[in-house]
Amino acid sequence: MFDILSILHDARQTYGLRHEDYQRYRKHCTHRVHRLRQLQKQSKQEDRQLTLYLYETERSWAFGMELKQELAKSMETRQRHHLIKKLKRATQHAQTLAELGSSLDERTVLDIKAYCSLMKGYLLLEQQHYKEAYESFVESRFIYDAFAQSADAEHESLCYSAIDTIDPNIRFCAYKLQLPGTSMTEWLQHYTGPVPETPTKASMRFEWRQWTLVVHHPALIQSVTESQQTHTWQTTHKLIKKIIKETTKVNSRVSSSRSKQMTEELDRLRVYVEYQMYHQLIHQCLDGIQKDTPTQQIKKYDSILRSIECCTSFDPDLDMELETELLFYKASRCTQVAHIQTHPAESLALYQQAQTYLVQVKQHLRHHAMPMDIHPVEEEIRSGLWKSRALFYLQQDDLGMSQLSLDDRPLLHDLDVYPPTIQTLVEFPPTLKPVACKPFYFDLAAHSIQYPEVPKESSAGIWKLFGFGK
């Protein structure tokens, strides 16, 4: 396959045009033309003939750009005439190239056509025929744009790199023609020529958080769709890491205005896949964790913390959420480790560290609302702190707790004496005392009861019975 963009990119970036050294590039094209002519005399080949006229065109175009650089330093009209002459020759060689490649496949014919339109646009621009130059540049741009939609990562970058060299010329022609609009999209709407029809690349677009994720790679589209249905993201994660590696390698060779955008789209998709994959793992670890032993819970919390640390992002809100989850699960892990500690001092230190993590979680939740229930962990840490602190003081015996005796005289009976050490507050168990068999009680309804009338004789006898009568 005769790929003009690949041939020209390698030659231009290797021999001078990386630093706009047109003289060095012209000498390289001259050497290549002489070498191809010698090989063509020995055995004629169609691809070699096409490459010969391609380098003939490049040599004339490079000579013209070299004269244009010199013309910017001096105002000699002869150099301008010579510049236009070289661009005319480049256009003629491009037309010959198009005639030779007319029998090739459709994509190669369109590729040669875009290259011819570009050379023609350079000539018309120097001749100040801005309307015709505008149409030639736009035609070439449309072809490269269509190629970019249906090519792999490397050819897509080559197409966008060619578009980057065409856009400034279209912008200048639009300024000279006083076309309405301020963006490239508006200026391209004034093109009335034919637009090439090429199959467009399938894409997938969906919303996640505040991002619009776009997927162009066919295999990646299929993998993401399957992962969303089955909730298994390991295969998609491996695939996207491979594609990012290939894209980074391509962008290091071919840079364009779309390179940064493509990298950002893949990075956002990687963050989405990692977030889904690691949170799926977190949910699996948390499922039934309350039924596990403390040692098993600690191992699961270790897996959760590793998963969160592996999930990196460049979004501040998502980073805050991941950091909050990381602190929360650190607090939970410290709590479980404190449960299995036999030394009160170590257990107390772990509970205090867990409380520090939980305070940071509360601070994050004030600024960033999240569906996170921290009350069970908070209650567990609070109760553990008091138990560990009590056991620690009992073990240290700083307050003389070992001197307490339940047989000492209770402090309740000697309140006017200050004891040198803490004594028993009350008697325990209490001393048994006799209780009256007829305890006094107050009848609140005594004045509301109506008693029957009793004769005086019998009444006096009743009072004598109680000792009140005589």
Side-chain angles (χ1 to χ4, degrees):
M1 182 178 178
F2 184 68
D3 191 355
I4 294 180
L5 289 178
S6 299
I7 297 173
L8 294 184
H9 178 267
D10 294 340
R12 289 180 178 181
Q13 296 298 314
T14 307
Y15 297 99
L17 289 197
R18 185 188 297 270
H19 309 288
E20 295 185 356
D21 189 356
Y22 291 100
Q23 183 179 8
R24 181 187 172 191
Y25 182 61
R26 176 175 61 86
K27 291 180 179 179
H28 167 70
C29 293
T30 303
H31 174 72
R32 286 292 297 163
V33 166
H34 292 164
R35 179 60 179 166
L36 288 171
R37 283 177 178 172
Q38 292 176 359
L39 295 175
Q40 196 68 9
K41 289 180 180 179
Q42 298 176 4
S43 61
K44 293 185 178 181
Q45 296 181 5
E46 186 178 5
D47 291 345
R48 190 178 297 162
Q49 187 74 11
L50 294 173
T51 308
L52 173 62
Y53 279 98
L54 177 62
Y55 276 104
E56 286 278 13
T57 307
E58 284 291 293
R59 180 175 66 170
S60 301
W61 172 79
F63 203 168
M65 294 297 103
E66 181 184 352
L67 292 174
K68 188 174 182 179
Q69 283 183 341
E70 296 176 359
L71 186 62
K73 301 176 184 179
S74 63
M75 299 301 294
E76 296 183 8
T77 58
R78 188 64 185 171
Q79 284 187 347
R80 184 170 187 82
H81 175 73
H82 198 29
L83 163 63
I84 295 176
K85 182 179 178 181
K86 288 298 178 183
L87 292 180
K88 282 182 178 180
R89 181 165 296 180
T91 305
Q92 292 173 0
H93 288 308
Q95 292 293 338
T96 306
L97 177 64
E99 294 174 0
L100 291 174
S102 59
S103 60
L104 300 177
D105 59 287
E106 183 180 0
R107 184 181 179 86
T108 306
V109 171
L110 286 175
D111 195 4
I112 297 174
K113 182 179 180 181
Y115 181 70
C116 293
S117 299
L118 183 60
M119 290 296 139
K120 185 179 179 181
Y122 283 129
L123 174 61
L124 295 172
L125 184 63
E126 294 299 328
Q127 292 177 341
Q128 298 182 0
H129 300 316
Y130 299 114
K131 177 65 176 177
E132 293 78 4
Y134 166 80
E135 293 179 353
S136 296
F137 284 129
V138 172
E139 182 183 11
S140 179
R141 190 187 191 281
F142 273 131
I143 295 175
Y144 287 133
D145 192 16
F147 282 169
Q149 300 299 325
S150 58
D152 55 8
E154 183 174 0
H155 282 80
E156 183 180 359
S157 298
L158 289 173
C159 291
Y160 282 120
S161 178
I163 290 174
D164 290 341
T165 61
I166 296 173
D167 284 348
N169 298 311
I170 296 178
R171 190 178 298 112
F172 181 74
C173 293
Y175 168 74
K176 287 294 185 178
L177 296 173
Q178 297 182 356
L179 297 178
T182 57
S183 63
M184 185 61 62
T185 305
E186 295 175 348
W187 293 330
L188 294 177
Q189 293 177 356
H190 300 281
Y191 177 69
T192 58
V195 178
E197 296 182 0
T198 54
T200 58
K201 184 187 297 185
S203 62
M204 178 183 180
R205 185 183 300 268
F206 59 95
E207 299 290 334
W208 182 64
R209 294 180 176 270
Q210 74 277 11
W211 296 342
T212 301
L213 302 180
V214 184
V215 189
H216 297 290
H217 200 281
L220 194 56
I221 292 174
Q222 182 180 0
S223 182
V224 170
T225 305
E226 293 177 355
S227 298
Q228 289 177 345
Q229 296 174 355
T230 60
H231 301 288
T232 55
W233 298 90
Q234 285 75 12
T235 305
T236 306
H237 186 248
K238 293 180 181 179
L239 180 60
I240 194 171
K241 288 179 66 176
K242 179 181 178 181
I243 294 175
I244 289 176
K245 184 178 180 180
E246 294 175 355
T247 304
T248 304
K249 184 178 180 180
V250 170
N251 292 338
S252 63
R253 294 181 58 252
V254 186
S255 60
S256 64
S257 59
R258 280 274 299 172
S259 299
K260 184 178 180 181
Q261 182 180 354
M262 292 165 58
T263 304
E264 289 180 355
E265 290 177 353
L266 288 174
D267 284 339
R268 289 177 180 177
L269 186 62
R270 175 191 58 80
V271 172
Y272 167 75
V273 172
E274 288 181 352
Y275 184 87
Q276 299 297 331
M277 182 178 66
Y278 291 129
H279 273 70
Q280 183 69 22
L281 179 61
I282 290 173
H283 290 313
Q284 292 177 358
C285 292
L286 293 178
D287 188 15
I289 195 174
Q290 300 299 331
K291 301 178 182 179
D292 297 332
T293 62
T295 305
Q296 293 175 345
Q297 292 184 18
I298 292 171
K299 291 181 179 179
K300 288 188 175 182
Y301 281 126
D302 288 337
S303 300
I304 291 173
L305 293 176
R306 285 195 300 268
S307 300
I308 297 176
E309 289 174 353
C310 291
C311 188
T312 57
S313 169
F314 48 83
D315 178 56
D317 294 336
L318 186 56
D319 287 338
M320 178 67 72
E321 180 179 338
L322 293 174
E323 185 178 358
T324 306
E325 291 183 355
L326 185 67
L327 292 172
F328 175 74
Y329 289 118
K330 281 184 177 180
S332 301
R333 183 185 183 279
C334 286
T335 305
Q336 297 302 323
V337 175
H339 282 333
I340 63 176
Q341 291 296 325
T342 57
H343 301 285
E346 296 177 359
S347 179
L348 180 61
L350 287 169
Y351 278 121
Q352 290 175 347
Q353 183 63 38
Q355 192 176 35
T356 303
Y357 287 141
L358 206 62
V359 169
Q360 297 178 8
V361 171
K362 289 181 179 180
Q363 293 176 354
H364 289 180
L365 291 178
R366 291 193 191 101
H367 304 287
H368 187 79
M370 289 177 56
M372 181 180 292
D373 186 13
I374 64 173
H375 297 292
V377 179
E378 188 176 10
E379 291 295 332
E380 191 175 1
I381 292 174
R382 186 183 292 112
S383 62
L385 273 173
W386 287 110
K387 292 178 182 178
S388 299
R389 188 175 284 113
L391 291 173
F392 173 74
Y393 286 136
L394 286 173
Q395 188 178 27
Q396 294 297 322
D397 199 18
D398 293 336
L399 301 177
M401 301 295 288
S402 61
Q403 300 179 7
L404 290 177
S405 175
L406 297 178
D407 297 332
D408 295 339
R409 181 177 176 82
L411 189 62
L412 184 64
H413 300 317
D414 297 324
L415 296 178
D416 56 341
V417 179
Y418 187 81
T421 60
I422 296 177
Q423 299 177 358
T424 306
L425 298 178
V426 295
E427 289 182 301
F428 186 83
T431 304
L432 297 177
K433 293 182 179 180
V435 180
C437 61
K438 292 182 180 180
F440 290 97
Y441 63 91
F442 297 95
D443 191 354
L444 300 178
H447 299 288
S448 302
I449 299 175
Q450 295 181 0
Y451 295 97
E453 294 182 0
V454 182
K456 293 183 179 179
E457 292 80 8
S458 62
S459 175
I462 296 174
W463 287 109
K464 288 180 180 180
L465 179 64
F466 288 95
F468 295 100
K470 293 183 180 180

